Amino acid sequence: MKYWSFMKSTAIKTLKNKLKFPVTMKIAVESTVYLQPENSRRLGKIGKVVRYKWGCDKEEFLKTVKDCEIIISNKWFYNDLLPKLKVKLISLWSTGTDLIDIKKCRE
């Protein structure tokens, strides 16, 4: 039993060391999306979190999210700017997918 505990703890330490990676991802979160502190901390582990204001103009939106790989949005988005973005994932915190132009995302 003691041997198993030792092996388990050694395996966990090894995995923790191998799973370290540089933080290179940029994540944009809309201002109306409430993240609990624990969720903010978790997002911070995988990348730099930036906030953009709900209803901001196109220039401000593009300036904030153009280099983001993840965008977390809630009922507001500029579809015509999709070709200019590096985004890989758009998470909607609202009902439905009609906010995002799925066809433009596939291009």
Side-chain angles (χ1 to χ4, degrees):
M1 193 64 154
K2 290 181 182 180
Y3 177 75
W4 169 246
S5 297
F6 169 76
M7 291 303 291
K8 185 177 172 184
S9 67
T10 304
I12 290 171
K13 287 177 187 174
T14 303
L15 279 175
K16 283 182 180 178
N17 290 334
K18 288 184 178 184
L19 292 177
K20 290 180 182 175
F21 54 91
V23 177
T24 57
M25 199 175 285
K26 192 172 174 188
I27 305 161
V29 181
E30 186 183 300
S31 62
T32 62
V33 173
Y34 172 72
L35 294 174
Q36 293 184 1
E38 175 63 18
N39 296 334
S40 292
R41 187 184 65 73
R42 286 180 176 178
L43 280 178
K45 282 185 171 183
I46 61 171
K48 180 182 178 190
V49 179
V50 295
R51 300 287 262 181
Y52 66 95
K53 189 175 180 181
W54 183 90
C56 64
D57 60 15
K58 285 186 182 185
E59 291 81 27
E60 184 181 342
F61 178 79
L62 185 60
K63 181 182 170 187
T64 306
V65 305
K66 70 179 178 179
D67 295 328
C68 292
E69 295 175 281
I70 298 173
I71 297 175
I72 301 174
S73 187
N74 181 34
K75 302 183 183 183
W76 179 80
F77 195 80
Y78 285 117
N79 281 303
D80 54 330
L81 295 178
L82 275 170
K84 298 179 181 180
L85 303 178
K86 289 179 22 177
V87 67
K88 295 178 182 177
L89 172 73
I90 300 172
S91 174
L92 294 177
W93 287 35
S94 58
T95 305
T97 58
D98 57 333
L99 175 67
I100 305 297
D101 187 344
I102 303 296
K103 290 179 184 176
K104 280 190 180 180
C105 287
R106 290 185 177 138
E107 293 175 358

